[in-house]
Amino acid sequence: MDNKLTLLELNQRIKETLNREFQSTYWVIAEISELKINRKGHCYLDLVEKDELGDRIVAKAKGIVWSYTFRMLKPYFETTTGREFKQGLKIMVNVSVEFHELYGYSLYIHDIEPSYTLGEIARRRLEVIKKLEDEGIIEMNKQLPLSQVPQKIAVISSKTAAGYRDFIEQLNNNPYGYIFYSKLFPAYMQGDEAEDSIIKALEKIYQYEDLFDAVAIIRGGGAHADLGCFDQYHLAANVAQFPLPVITGIGHEKDESVVDMTAHTKMKTPTAVADFFVSKAYEYEEKLLGLRDVVVERTNQYINLENQKLRNLYSQIYPNVKSILEKSRNILEIRKEKFLHIHRNFLNKKQQNLTAYSKKLVSSYELSFQKNFHELKNYERNIGNLVRNYMKSQKKHMENLAKAKEYLDPKNVLKRGFSITQKDNQTVKSSRQVKKGDTIKTCLYEGKLVSQIDYTEKEENIITGKK
Amino acid sequence: MAKEKQQLKYGDAIEEIEKILKQIENEELDVDDLTSKVKRVSELLSLCKKKLRTTEEEVENILKDIEAE
Amino acid sequence: MAKEKQQLKYGDAIEEIEKILKQIENEELDVDDLTSKVKRVSELLSLCKKKLRTTEEEVENILKDIEAE
Amino acid sequence: MAKEKQQLKYGDAIEEIEKILKQIENEELDVDDLTSKVKRVSELLSLCKKKLRTTEEEVENILKDIEAE
Amino acid sequence: MAKEKQQLKYGDAIEEIEKILKQIENEELDVDDLTSKVKRVSELLSLCKKKLRTTEEEVENILKDIEAE
Amino acid sequence: MAKEKQQLKYGDAIEEIEKILKQIENEELDVDDLTSKVKRVSELLSLCKKKLRTTEEEVENILKDIEAE
Amino acid sequence: MAKEKQQLKYGDAIEEIEKILKQIENEELDVDDLTSKVKRVSELLSLCKKKLRTTEEEVENILKDIEAE
């Protein structure tokens, strides 16, 4: 147990070792988790490093800025970054590692690189913007319709701020005599409480949503004010989603804050915000007056147009009537002309008809006469033939009768030696008609014989050969 | 007969002739009658001939007139 | 006859002529009547001719007048 | 006739003319009537002609007035 | 006619004129009616002309009055 | 008319005028109606003119007031 | 009118004026209505001007009553 050491001895050896091993200074990146300035002006800080999620502290060290250094370093940092040197900031500082036997390990801060913090602020700012964008609310307030005359304004400001006074002054003493109604909702406009304070004020205004036309968030005065709260997510999100248009006049020198971005309208100063409202009212009135002029002009035009229309209508009457009358006259004239000639055709046709009739009379009469005459001639011609035929026929008949008579005349038979025997004036044709002793008379061609029958004989007919 | 000539129609005469001739043909006549009937026929024929001749002359004259026209 | 000329219509005359001609053709006439009938036809024809000629003259005069108009 | 001139319509006159012409054409007229019918047609034609002439004169007079207007 | 002048519409008058013209053209008129129809047309033409003249004068007077206002 | 003046709208009056003018243009009017229609148009035009004049005066007064403000 | 002052919205006034203007421009207004519509524009103008410049106590009272802190 030779190597027993007193605490002091050990701390001395640690100190020697550290002094030997960490002779130079180092640029270290850390977050200020605690910051205290004592009466002598020395600044004592707790520097920490958090894990990637920012939840857990993974390293911690004490830091000291001696007052003579701090007096220069603080304003340098604050003017460069526009941020108060305070807890919560991420900083890059030049440190030497110190070990004090009594106080232990600490880092003496000799210098600071504000541009790192600036970059860090910008990075965080971008993160906030991205989040707002991702949530789709960044443009929400901008999309709210601003009343044409934002006459009733809820103001969020510090009561005592010069900026607020300027704003009210500018608003109420506008050169046009417009009336504005403003109501102050006081809030801290800087420092750690600012964000919550402003959000609270917004919540209050929200209760009177219907009453106000717009919200003005204004701030002005302090040159080195820390405006970090206006880059905070919660405030920006509240502003973005606020149901009334928010007009900001925060007074940034350089980049606009995230709240400015989410607000409906961003003005640089409170005075500018007041001017904005006045100009809106002025624009409105100008628009009204413009409309008035247009109404006057259009009304006059309308009346002139109507006058012109009436004149046009009037001017149409006569030509139209005249045209009708002319057309009617022409039609009449055409009818008249036609009429003057048409009857001649009519009468001519009738005349022609009459001529045709008289011609037809002559021709049909002549035809009739010819036919009758011809008929008579035919009769004359026919009668001779008919009569002669008749005569011929009669003569023939006569001749036939004469021939028959010649043939039948008994004289001609007797002439050839035949005779006719009669008994009691009966012609005897058979021997059986007579008997012996009868007296018969015989007619000859010339003369007659009377005789007595001696006998009779039956003999065949001489002529027919019959018996 | 002269009177008859005037009175007896040609047609009647022809009819009588035809009637007598039929009787002769049918031997409905006595020889004595026969002679007289034949005689009658001869007379009638003669009459008719005369009538025909006369008529023909007259008619021809008229026809000549007609045809001459 | 003179009177008849006035009274007998041309058409009736023609009809009578045709009737007589038909009788002759059909030997419906007694020879004794022939002469008188033929004479009648001759007269009728004559009458008709005269009528025709007269008519023609009259009509022609009328027509002459019409055409003269 | 004078009265008829006044009363008989031109159209009726023409109708009568046509009727008579048709009768002549179809030989529906007795030669004896022909003369009188032809005369009738002649008169009607004459009447019509006169009517035509009168009408023409009257019409011309009226039209002269129109034309003068 | 004086009364008719008041009552007969111009359009009807024109229609009547055209109807009569068509009748003449189509020879649907009896010659006897031609004169009266021509006279009628003449009157109607005259009436129409008068109506046109009167209308023109009246219209001109009315328009003069408007312009004077 | 006095009553109508009160009741007839300017626009209706113009419409009626235009309708009548169109009828005249399209020759849908009988010549006889022309005068009365032109008279009607004349009255309507007169009414419209009066209305316009009155309106013009009234409007001018109002506008004078507006611009004076 | 007093009541309307309370209720009139700037935007509505502009809208109403613009509507009337459009009607005038598009000649959708009857001339008879022109006067009243122009009068209305005049009233709206007057009202808006007044509203812009006259303090409404009522509003002020309400604002005063709000507990801001």
Side-chain angles (χ1 to χ4, degrees):
Chain A
M1 290 295 233
D2 288 340
N3 57 347
K4 274 186 211 146
L5 290 175
T6 66
L7 179 62
L8 181 62
E9 282 172 344
L10 176 65
N11 278 2
Q12 277 173 340
R13 277 178 68 172
I14 293 171
K15 186 180 179 179
E16 278 165 19
T17 308
L18 282 175
N19 281 345
R20 196 174 54 244
E21 288 298 319
F22 296 93
Q23 287 180 358
S24 60
T25 58
Y26 300 90
W27 285 101
V28 172
I29 292 164
E31 187 179 326
I32 305 168
S33 72
E34 204 77 44
L35 184 145
K36 227 190 268 170
I37 301 162
N38 71 2
R39 277 183 296 124
K40 288 180 182 164
H42 304 307
C43 178
Y44 297 93
L45 332 127
D46 279 351
L47 295 175
V48 296
E49 182 174 342
K50 289 174 180 168
D51 66 4
E52 278 178 16
L53 296 169
D55 296 336
R56 212 161 45 85
I57 293 170
V58 292
K60 191 171 182 177
K62 273 187 206 144
I64 299 161
V65 191
W66 302 114
S67 64
Y68 66 88
T69 310
F70 189 60
R71 274 202 296 276
M72 292 188 302
L73 197 135
K74 186 179 190 280
Y76 167 59
F77 177 84
E78 290 188 343
T79 49
T80 309
T81 62
R83 286 281 188 280
E84 194 183 348
F85 190 76
K86 60 170 189 180
Q87 72 220 39
L89 283 177
K90 257 193 158 178
I91 52 173
M92 185 162 93
V93 282
N94 189 252
V95 299
S96 55
V97 179
E98 302 292 341
F99 194 84
H100 190 277
E101 296 82 346
L102 182 59
Y103 304 110
Y105 163 64
S106 59
L107 300 171
Y108 290 1
I109 294 170
H110 307 291
D111 200 357
I112 190 160
E113 182 50 67
S115 64
Y116 170 77
T117 307
L118 265 184
E120 197 54 25
I121 290 166
R123 191 182 56 77
R124 281 188 47 194
R125 188 172 164 276
L126 283 177
E127 273 174 15
V128 170
I129 291 168
K130 185 153 191 307
K131 194 172 179 195
L132 291 167
E133 276 173 349
D134 289 347
E135 288 168 353
I137 59 175
I138 195 161
E139 294 284 335
M140 270 174 82
N141 199 262
K142 281 195 169 47
Q143 283 161 3
L144 290 177
L146 179 64
S147 165
Q148 296 195 47
V149 183
Q151 207 171 13
K152 286 168 264 178
I153 301 150
V155 186
I156 296 176
S157 178
S158 154
K159 205 184 268 181
T160 54
Y164 175 62
R165 282 199 305 277
D166 293 345
F167 172 79
I168 294 297
E169 168 76 17
Q170 191 76 11
L171 198 60
N172 290 342
N173 292 335
N174 71 75
Y176 313 107
Y178 299 140
I179 294 296
F180 287 96
Y181 306 94
S182 62
K183 179 76 185 177
L184 179 65
F185 292 83
Y188 296 112
M189 300 307 286
Q190 62 186 68
D192 295 339
E193 295 163 83
E195 186 176 7
D196 285 346
S197 171
I198 292 171
I199 289 171
K200 252 182 214 142
L202 281 174
E203 279 166 358
K204 196 130 221 170
I205 294 167
Y206 180 67
Q207 293 170 28
Y208 304 98
E209 182 197 342
D210 294 338
L211 202 60
F212 293 105
D213 297 320
V215 177
I217 300 177
I218 50 173
R219 190 207 147 270
H224 294 295
D226 177 16
L227 301 178
C229 63
F230 292 105
D231 281 336
Q232 295 302 313
Y233 168 76
H234 285 297
L235 181 55
N238 264 285
V239 167
Q241 297 176 82
F242 201 70
L244 287 172
V246 175
I247 319 298
T248 58
I250 300 166
H252 260 268
E253 296 297 327
K254 295 177 185 166
D255 299 328
E256 55 177 2
S257 69
V258 180
V259 168
D260 281 329
M261 285 177 70
T262 55
H264 183 280
T265 303
K266 169 222 154 188
M267 303 307 292
K268 273 191 174 161
T269 63
T271 317
V273 175
D275 283 344
F276 172 74
F277 289 129
V278 173
S279 77
K280 278 282 163 189
Y282 179 74
E283 274 170 29
Y284 177 77
E285 193 171 28
E286 279 298 297
K287 192 172 178 186
L288 268 188
L289 295 177
L291 279 176
R292 179 197 68 186
D293 291 345
V294 177
V295 167
V296 170
E297 189 195 326
R298 293 290 187 269
T299 304
N300 284 330
Q301 273 180 9
Y302 186 41
I303 288 170
N304 281 341
L305 203 74
E306 286 304 320
N307 266 320
Q308 186 60 43
K309 204 192 232 173
L310 288 183
R311 275 195 293 277
N312 273 344
L313 288 174
Y314 170 75
S315 68
Q316 280 176 39
I317 303 171
Y318 189 66
N320 279 339
V321 170
K322 191 90 184 157
S323 154
I324 274 204
L325 292 175
E326 274 315 306
K327 272 187 190 158
S328 298
R329 264 197 201 103
N330 281 341
I331 290 171
L332 266 192
E333 203 53 38
I334 290 166
R335 295 287 171 281
K336 191 180 109 182
E337 283 305 315
K338 189 175 181 185
F339 182 57
L340 287 175
H341 301 296
I342 198 170
H343 78 280
R344 294 216 173 89
N345 268 342
F346 180 79
L347 290 173
N348 278 344
K349 268 195 188 153
K350 295 289 174 198
Q351 185 76 47
Q352 282 166 11
N353 285 344
L354 287 187
T355 308
Y357 284 135
S358 60
K359 269 191 189 137
K360 196 172 180 189
L361 179 65
V362 172
S363 67
S364 57
Y365 164 72
E366 266 167 11
L367 201 70
S368 160
F369 177 81
Q370 290 299 338
K371 269 191 184 165
N372 281 318
F373 191 73
H374 204 68
E375 194 182 42
L376 286 185
K377 280 281 165 212
N378 264 344
Y379 289 140
E380 279 177 5
R381 223 173 291 126
N382 282 343
I383 194 167
N385 288 336
L386 289 174
V387 169
R388 283 182 190 112
N389 278 341
Y390 177 80
M391 288 306 295
K392 224 180 256 166
S393 167
Q394 294 302 325
K395 269 187 208 157
K396 182 116 191 172
H397 191 49
M398 267 281 298
E399 276 161 27
N400 283 341
L401 287 177
K403 259 183 213 155
K405 186 218 114 190
E406 280 307 310
Y407 175 71
L408 290 173
D409 193 344
K411 233 185 225 164
N412 292 329
V413 181
L414 296 178
K415 212 178 197 169
R416 279 184 280 156
F418 294 97
S419 61
I420 299 161
T421 304
Q422 287 179 322
K423 182 189 156 196
D424 302 331
N425 282 341
Q426 292 281 309
T427 301
V428 177
K429 293 175 187 169
S430 167
S431 56
R432 280 185 289 263
Q433 282 177 266
V434 290
K435 58 189 189 280
K436 196 176 163 194
D438 284 351
T439 307
I440 54 170
K441 195 161 64 180
T442 305
C443 297
L444 304 174
Y445 178 64
E446 284 173 13
K448 281 177 193 170
L449 300 175
V450 180
S451 18
Q452 255 179 345
I453 304 290
D454 285 338
Y455 65 94
T456 59
E457 239 174 80
K458 281 181 197 166
E459 235 175 301
E460 62 187 75
N461 189 314
I462 305 167
I463 295 164
T464 62
K466 275 183 188 167
K467 283 199 181 164
Chain B
M1 185 68 187
K3 211 182 176 181
E4 192 188 29
K5 224 187 209 164
Q6 302 302 321
Q7 291 169 337
L8 190 65
K9 281 248 162 183
Y10 180 89
D12 298 341
I14 289 294
E15 208 174 301
E16 197 178 339
I17 290 168
E18 283 174 344
K19 189 182 150 200
I20 293 169
L21 286 178
K22 190 146 266 170
Q23 283 176 336
I24 294 171
E25 218 170 5
N26 295 345
E27 296 169 63
E28 286 165 14
L29 286 180
D30 186 87
V31 175
D32 296 328
D33 291 341
L34 197 62
T35 313
S36 66
K37 288 292 179 180
V38 169
K39 201 172 181 179
R40 177 69 182 160
V41 169
S42 288
E43 279 171 11
L44 287 169
L45 278 173
S46 180
L47 172 65
C48 284
K49 258 188 191 167
K50 210 169 189 171
K51 272 185 188 268
L52 266 185
R53 219 175 302 126
T54 313
T55 299
E56 192 166 23
E57 276 168 27
E58 286 170 355
V59 166
E60 282 294 335
N61 277 333
I62 298 164
L63 288 179
K64 230 178 277 166
D65 285 352
I66 294 176
E67 278 161 25
E69 265 185 54
Chain C
M1 184 70 186
K3 210 183 177 181
E4 191 187 29
K5 223 187 209 163
Q6 303 302 321
Q7 291 171 338
L8 190 65
K9 283 247 162 187
Y10 182 92
D12 297 340
I14 290 292
E15 211 174 297
E16 195 176 341
I17 290 168
E18 278 181 344
K19 191 179 146 204
I20 293 170
L21 286 181
K22 190 141 270 170
Q23 285 177 332
I24 294 171
E25 207 174 6
N26 297 345
E27 295 171 51
E28 290 165 8
L29 273 186
D30 196 286
V31 171
D32 292 331
D33 300 332
L34 189 64
T35 307
S36 70
K37 287 293 180 178
V38 172
K39 200 165 194 170
R40 176 68 180 159
V41 168
S42 161
E43 279 168 8
L44 288 170
L45 280 173
S46 214
L47 170 66
C48 285
K49 261 192 181 169
K50 209 166 192 171
K51 271 180 186 274
L52 261 190
R53 224 171 298 125
T54 313
T55 302
E56 191 178 19
E57 277 167 27
E58 286 170 354
V59 166
E60 255 163 36
N61 279 331
I62 296 164
L63 294 181
K64 227 181 279 167
D65 287 352
I66 295 180
E67 272 169 83
E69 262 184 59
Chain D
M1 182 71 185
K3 209 179 176 184
E4 189 187 33
K5 223 185 213 164
Q6 304 302 321
Q7 293 171 337
L8 190 66
K9 281 246 161 189
Y10 184 93
D12 297 339
I14 291 292
E15 211 174 295
E16 195 176 341
I17 289 170
E18 281 176 346
K19 190 179 143 203
I20 294 171
L21 282 178
K22 188 143 274 171
Q23 287 178 327
I24 294 173
E25 219 171 0
N26 298 347
E27 291 169 69
E28 292 166 12
L29 285 180
D30 196 283
V31 170
D32 294 326
D33 301 332
L34 208 54
T35 307
S36 70
K37 289 293 181 176
V38 170
K39 199 165 192 171
R40 177 65 181 160
V41 171
S42 153
E43 280 169 8
L44 289 169
L45 281 173
S46 189
L47 170 67
C48 287
K49 266 189 184 167
K50 209 163 193 172
K51 270 179 186 274
L52 275 186
R53 222 173 301 126
T54 313
T55 302
E56 192 166 18
E57 278 167 23
E58 287 171 353
V59 166
E60 291 285 344
N61 278 331
I62 297 166
L63 294 183
K64 227 180 276 168
D65 289 351
I66 298 183
E67 245 168 323
E69 261 186 57
Chain E
M1 183 71 186
K3 208 178 176 184
E4 188 189 33
K5 225 184 212 166
Q6 304 302 321
Q7 294 170 338
L8 189 67
K9 282 245 162 190
Y10 183 90
D12 297 340
I14 290 287
E15 212 172 293
E16 194 177 342
I17 290 170
E18 281 176 353
K19 190 179 142 204
I20 293 173
L21 280 178
K22 190 142 273 171
Q23 286 178 328
I24 294 174
E25 217 169 5
N26 298 347
E27 291 171 67
E28 290 165 7
L29 275 186
D30 196 285
V31 171
D32 294 328
D33 301 332
L34 189 64
T35 305
S36 70
K37 289 290 181 179
V38 168
K39 199 162 194 170
R40 177 68 181 158
V41 170
S42 155
E43 281 168 8
L44 289 170
L45 280 172
S46 188
L47 170 68
C48 286
K49 262 192 181 169
K50 209 165 191 171
K51 269 177 186 276
L52 284 181
R53 219 175 301 126
T54 313
T55 301
E56 189 167 18
E57 279 167 21
E58 286 170 353
V59 167
E60 268 170 15
N61 280 330
I62 294 165
L63 293 179
K64 228 179 275 167
D65 287 352
I66 302 182
E67 232 168 339
E69 265 184 54
Chain F
M1 183 70 188
K3 209 178 174 186
E4 188 188 34
K5 227 183 212 166
Q6 303 302 322
Q7 294 172 337
L8 190 67
K9 280 246 162 190
Y10 179 91
D12 297 340
I14 291 287
E15 212 172 294
E16 193 177 341
I17 291 169
E18 283 174 344
K19 189 179 143 203
I20 294 172
L21 281 178
K22 189 140 273 171
Q23 286 179 327
I24 295 175
E25 215 170 359
N26 297 349
E27 293 169 61
E28 291 165 10
L29 286 180
D30 196 283
V31 169
D32 293 327
D33 301 333
L34 217 50
T35 304
S36 69
K37 288 290 181 180
V38 169
K39 198 162 195 171
R40 176 68 182 157
V41 169
S42 148
E43 282 168 9
L44 291 169
L45 276 175
S46 202
L47 170 68
C48 287
K49 262 191 182 171
K50 212 163 191 172
K51 270 176 186 274
L52 256 193
R53 223 175 297 130
T54 312
T55 302
E56 196 168 13
E57 279 166 23
E58 287 170 354
V59 166
E60 254 167 34
N61 281 330
I62 296 164
L63 295 182
K64 230 179 273 167
D65 290 350
I66 298 180
E67 275 173 280
E69 266 184 52
Chain G
M1 183 76 180
K3 208 174 175 189
E4 194 184 26
K5 218 185 206 165
Q6 303 301 322
Q7 293 170 338
L8 184 74
K9 292 225 170 146
Y10 289 107
D12 295 344
I14 289 279
E15 217 171 284
E16 193 176 343
I17 292 171
E18 279 177 343
K19 191 178 144 203
I20 292 171
L21 182 59
K22 188 144 276 171
Q23 287 178 326
I24 295 172
E25 269 175 355
N26 297 350
E27 290 168 64
E28 290 165 8
L29 275 185
D30 196 284
V31 168
D32 293 330
D33 302 330
L34 201 57
T35 305
S36 69
K37 289 291 181 178
V38 170
K39 201 164 193 168
R40 176 66 183 156
V41 170
S42 156
E43 278 169 14
L44 288 169
L45 275 172
S46 177
L47 276 176
C48 288
K49 275 187 172 174
K50 216 168 199 166
K51 198 176 158 79
L52 277 174
R53 291 192 172 78
T54 313
T55 308
E56 290 168 43
E57 266 177 49
E58 217 174 314
V59 179
E60 287 207 320
N61 286 333
I62 295 167
L63 291 181
K64 225 175 272 171
D65 289 345
I66 296 174
E67 297 254 346
E69 279 173 72

